[in-house]
Amino acid sequence: MDSFNHSQPNVYPEKLEAGTLNVVGIAGLNEGIEYILNKGIEDIRKIVATNVNRFIDALEQMDNIILYTQRKRPVAGVVSLNIGNIDSETISDVLVEDFDIAIRPGAHCAPLVHKALGTEKQGIVRFSFSSFNTIEEVDFAINAIKTIVTEVD
């Protein structure tokens, strides 16, 4: 509004409105709200719970899996684990390079949690599931973990 001024306006609301609005962010927020309203929160929760429970059920049957996620209701879409003593970043590299699966390895900005779990050096592998994931994708992730576990044995 006063583009040639070297300082920002000192009156409201102009003081908070400098620069271009985050149009892409606003449009994305709108689409996210529309998705939730159309799909329904309960349906979204059920899909996420189904994905997470299927994944955890399979992990509990595998050797060398250290599972940090506990089943609680309501279920969040995050499953945290390690495979034996393998560094979480190594597991992430294998998942992305061999299976095209992106996960989040490391400390997750939670150093005290890792201190309590004894995973300060290893980190944790974190899978995140949403209502956009299919059962086939969950099964693909399960088979990828099975492959890694088999190679470790």
Side-chain angles (χ1 to χ4, degrees):
M1 65 170 244
D2 190 7
S3 297
F4 291 101
N5 193 336
H6 290 260
S7 61
Q8 298 299 320
N10 199 23
V11 294
Y12 291 102
E14 292 88 353
K15 184 175 185 172
L16 302 174
E17 294 179 350
T20 305
L21 292 175
N22 182 1
V23 176
V24 173
I26 293 167
L29 176 61
N30 182 64
E31 289 301 312
I33 291 169
E34 287 294 322
Y35 174 78
I36 291 169
L37 291 175
N38 290 332
K39 188 84 169 169
I41 290 175
E42 188 58 27
D43 285 346
I44 291 170
R45 187 201 67 75
K46 285 178 185 175
I47 294 166
V48 172
T50 298
N51 289 340
V52 167
N53 288 328
R54 185 179 188 94
F55 192 64
I56 289 174
D57 286 344
L59 293 177
E60 289 176 337
Q61 305 306 312
M62 295 182 208
D63 294 330
N64 291 323
I65 297 291
I66 304 161
L67 189 60
Y68 302 101
T69 300
Q70 298 175 358
R71 292 180 202 254
K72 293 183 180 176
R73 301 292 185 254
V75 174
V78 176
V79 178
S80 299
L81 65 107
N82 272 318
I83 301 175
N85 293 321
I86 303 172
D87 184 76
S88 62
E89 292 179 12
T90 300
I91 295 169
S92 176
D93 289 345
V94 171
L95 286 169
V96 78
E97 290 171 11
D98 295 353
F99 302 97
D100 201 27
I101 296 174
I103 56 96
R104 175 73 164 86
H108 311 102
C109 301
L112 296 179
V113 170
H114 287 277
K115 184 175 182 178
L117 294 173
T119 57
E120 294 165 291
K121 292 182 180 173
Q122 182 180 17
I124 287 178
V125 173
R126 186 177 71 195
F127 282 80
S128 298
F129 296 98
S130 78
S131 60
F132 295 107
N133 291 112
T134 64
I135 292 296
E136 292 78 19
E137 290 170 328
V138 174
D139 289 344
F140 187 79
I142 290 167
N143 288 327
I145 295 294
K146 280 182 187 175
T147 301
I148 295 170
V149 167
T150 302
E151 291 174 0
V152 170
D153 285 342

